[in-house]
Amino acid sequence: GFDATGIDPLVGNAHRATGEFDAVLSYLVLEHVTTPAEFLSDAARLLQLGGYLIVEVPDFLRNPVASLDPEHIWHFAPDHLRVLIGRLGFAVVEVDRTGASRPFAQAVVARKESTANSDEPVVGQHLVAAMRDAYAQAGEAMMRERQRLFDLVAAVAVRACGRRVFVWGANAYACQI
């Protein structure tokens, strides 16, 4: 029963009338855009007052390894989204960190209540410290996984003992044989 419109700024159809929509949904997009604040400002412009914004992104603090995909330009903790969205005139209604549509994701539901407030700082020092800690933990987890896979490849190669071994995959693990 929804009247839905797909908008893709890359193909030039994002220039819609201000306040035209009741809701704007963005699922696993924000982490890929170069200017998240501009992207969300465009979403705010499209929404009528009282309209809802739903944004889903990987939850960096809950699952930093999944968030560190090489295609992701930005990494978001829940507080980052709250502050960023709040600066644009939204009131956060709900933050779902249970996995949203993907097990590694978080979703924020916010209601447009006013215009942007650019005077608030985007990221506090406590968030910077939390992100630094999460990056360190993610790096350690990635190194443990890398070592586990190297060990697995080595064990297979030893068991093959002179037999021909085929490793399926063009990645760092296959290249180390």
Side-chain angles (χ1 to χ4, degrees), residues 9 17 25 29-30 37 50 54 59 64 68 84 100 103 105 107 122 134 141 146 150-151 153-154 171:
L25 290 71
V29 173
L30 193 61
I54 301 171
D59 185 340
L68 289 176
L84 182 60
V122 176
R146 183 176 185 178
F150 281 147
D151 292 347
V153 168
N171 57 33

Side-chain angles (χ1 to χ4, degrees), residues 3-27:
D3 180 14
T5 302
I7 294 177
D8 185 349
L10 296 178
V11 295
N13 67 349
H15 302 290
R16 309 274 309 187
T18 298
E20 182 177 340
F21 295 101
D22 298 309
V24 171
L25 290 71
S26 172
Y27 288 97

Side-chain angles (χ1 to χ4, degrees), residues 33-109:
V33 300
T34 55
T35 54
E38 186 178 317
F39 179 89
L40 292 171
S41 290
D42 284 344
R45 180 183 53 78
L46 294 170
L47 278 170
Q48 64 180 326
L49 198 59
Y52 286 90
L53 172 69
I54 301 171
V55 176
E56 182 179 46
V57 295
D59 185 340
F60 182 80
L61 291 182
R62 191 167 54 91
N63 195 338
V65 174
S67 186
L68 289 176
D69 184 293
E71 294 179 0
H72 295 171
I73 299 170
W74 297 96
H75 310 290
F76 295 98
D79 286 346
H80 291 124
L81 284 177
R82 282 188 191 101
V83 171
L84 182 60
I85 290 170
R87 291 182 74 214
L88 297 169
F90 290 94
V92 174
V93 175
E94 182 178 348
V95 176
D96 177 3
R97 294 186 74 199
T98 62
S101 76
R102 303 289 196 296
F104 57 83
Q106 62 179 318
V108 175
V109 178

